[in-house]
Amino acid sequence: MHKKIISTIALGLIIGASTISANANPKLSDVNGHWANKEIQQFIANGFINGYEDGTFKPDNSITRAEFVKIANKYFGFTAKGSENFSDVNPGDWFYNDICIAQKEGYINGYDDGTFKPDKTITREEAAKIIISIKNREDIKIDKLNNFADGHMVSEWAKKYVEGAIEAGYIKGDD
């Protein structure tokens, strides 16, 4: 049976499963029995993510590009700030420092119109690009992607990142 890209990035950066809050309750009421419970608990224990102040995590919510960058910076220990040049990122924004860090590390870029779109839901393609850029695991030999029934739906720009994520074992498909 063909696998599908409708999948999980197994690195533990929980796509569609997180928010970041300064005063979160570590006893979350809505993650028991969730497929990502173990990863959520590990990320909380390591200080990479938190839940909401009301004691929930909302594990099926989407995650924004800014939230994902913040988690990636924490996970990989990036702290050195560079400068950013996006028209929709300002020094007063909660994500400003993380965008500057990601820019310095070289793992993000914005859109052709000069924006970053920090509040836009991150796509799996964008998440794969970030992780694979950080890990320097791009793969231009597109062979594993072809084993996925929906592999043809991956954007041309993202193929080398998704292929790299498959090769590294970060992406698993549904049977």
Side-chain angles (χ1 to χ4, degrees):
M1 188 172 232
H2 287 289
K3 293 182 177 182
K4 294 185 179 181
I5 289 290
I6 301 170
S7 62
T8 277
I9 294 192
L11 211 157
L13 294 173
I14 303 163
I15 297 177
S18 168
T19 189
I20 298 172
S21 170
N23 301 312
N25 181 345
K27 297 190 188 301
L28 304 171
S29 63
D30 60 348
V31 297
N32 287 337
H34 192 273
W35 65 266
N37 183 33
K38 180 180 173 186
E39 292 82 3
I40 292 167
Q41 297 299 339
Q42 287 174 336
F43 266 56
I44 289 171
N46 289 320
F48 303 138
I49 58 175
N50 296 307
Y52 289 94
E53 291 179 9
D54 67 359
T56 63
F57 189 75
K58 300 178 175 116
D60 294 317
N61 280 7
S62 296
I63 185 169
T64 67
R65 290 167 48 86
E67 290 169 333
F68 194 86
V69 164
K70 183 173 184 91
I71 294 168
N73 286 341
K74 283 187 170 202
Y75 183 87
F76 290 104
F78 299 142
T79 58
K81 286 193 308 187
S83 60
E84 60 76 34
N85 57 353
F86 301 116
S87 62
D88 58 347
V89 175
N90 301 300
D93 295 330
W94 70 264
F95 48 78
Y96 179 78
N97 288 336
D98 282 296
I99 300 298
C100 290
I101 291 167
Q103 190 82 11
K104 178 164 179 53
E105 293 297 330
Y107 71 80
I108 63 165
N109 56 338
Y111 293 91
D112 290 338
D113 65 359
T115 62
F116 182 72
K117 299 183 180 163
D119 295 322
K120 179 181 176 274
T121 298
I122 195 164
T123 67
R124 287 183 172 99
E125 289 177 340
E126 291 168 337
K129 190 247 185 225
I130 287 172
I131 294 167
I132 296 307
S133 294
I134 290 169
K135 301 290 273 178
N136 197 25
R137 307 254 341 226
E138 296 173 21
D139 188 347
I140 58 172
K141 183 181 177 198
I142 311 301
D143 56 344
K144 302 268 187 303
L145 183 59
N146 297 329
N147 294 328
F148 289 79
D150 56 351
H152 66 283
M153 297 174 69
V154 174
S155 301
E156 195 61 39
W157 69 265
K159 286 184 178 180
K160 64 184 178 182
Y161 304 110
V162 173
E163 182 73 28
I166 294 167
E167 290 278 344
Y170 302 153
I171 291 182
K172 301 174 184 174
D174 294 332
D175 291 326

